[in-house]
C-alpha cells in the first residue's frame, strides 16, 4: 500500500502562486507514476499533471500548461505542484495520486485551493 498526504492549499488572489506538497510513504518501489488531479464543485475529477517516475517524463493538462509544474524530491519521497498565475477557475480540491505497477491506485485526502477574483 501507499499513503499520500497533501498540504499547501489555501486562499490566494488571481495571479498569485501556491506550492502543493504530497508526502508519500509505503510500497513506493511499485509506483510508476505520480499525478495531481483536481475536482471543482459539481464537476468531475480531472488530471492536472503527471510524472512517470522511471524517466521523469511530465505531462500537463492544456489548461495549466505553462503555469503549473510537477516536480519530485526522491530523497524526501515528496511530489510537488508549483502553481503560478492562478485563476479563479483553478479553484478546486487538489488530490495527489499514485499509480502502481500492480494496477492499484492510491489517493490522498485532498487540499483545497481557492483563487479569489
Amino acid at each position: 500500500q501507499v499513503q499520500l498526504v497533501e498540504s499547501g492549499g489555501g486562499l490566494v488572489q488571481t495571479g498569485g502562486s501556491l506550492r502543493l506538497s504530497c508526502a508519500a510513504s509505503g510500497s513506493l518501489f511499485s509506483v510508476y507514476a505520480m499525478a495531481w488531479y483536481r475536482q471543482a464543485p459539481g464537476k468531475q475529477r480531472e488530471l492536472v499533471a503527471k510524472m512517470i517516475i522511471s524517466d521523469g517524463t511530465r505531462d500537463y493538462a492544456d489548461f495549466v500548461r505553462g503555469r503549473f509544474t510537477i516536480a519530485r524530491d526522491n530523497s524526501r519521497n515528496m511530489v510537488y505542484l508549483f502553481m503560478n498565475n492562478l485563476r479563479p477557475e483553478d479553484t478546486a480540491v487538489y488530490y495527489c495520486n499514485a499509480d502502481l505497477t500492480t494496477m492499484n491506485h492510491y489517493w490522498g485526502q485532498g487540499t483545497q485551493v481557492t483563487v479569489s477574483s
Side-chain angles (χ1 to χ4, degrees):
Q1 289 195 353
V2 172
Q3 294 78 42
L4 304 171
V5 179
E6 302 98 332
S7 61
L11 174 64
V12 64
Q13 292 185 336
T14 295
S17 299
L18 281 175
R19 185 191 75 171
L20 304 184
S21 300
C22 174
S25 61
S27 302
L28 301 182
F29 59 86
S30 297
V31 175
Y32 81 86
M34 294 290 296
W36 287 94
Y37 285 73
R38 71 185 188 186
Q39 187 167 19
K43 294 187 176 182
Q44 290 187 335
R45 191 171 297 190
E46 58 187 0
L47 177 65
V48 175
K50 188 170 187 175
M51 174 184 287
I52 305 299
I53 298 302
S54 60
D55 62 7
T57 300
R58 295 177 284 188
D59 194 21
Y60 299 92
D62 287 342
F63 51 78
V64 303
R65 188 171 286 112
R67 300 188 297 125
F68 291 12
T69 300
I70 186 170
R72 62 179 174 172
D73 183 340
N74 290 338
S75 66
R76 299 182 179 184
N77 293 329
M78 297 288 294
V79 176
Y80 303 100
L81 185 67
F82 295 90
M83 305 187 295
N84 297 316
N85 193 19
L86 284 160
R87 305 166 180 169
E89 54 265 38
D90 294 320
T91 295
V93 178
Y94 284 72
Y95 296 91
C96 183
N97 167 269
D99 286 343
L100 274 58
T101 55
T102 57
M103 304 300 290
N104 290 325
H105 311 275
Y106 292 92
W107 296 91
Q109 82 287 352
T111 185
Q112 176 71 48
V113 171
T114 303
V115 184
S116 64
S117 57

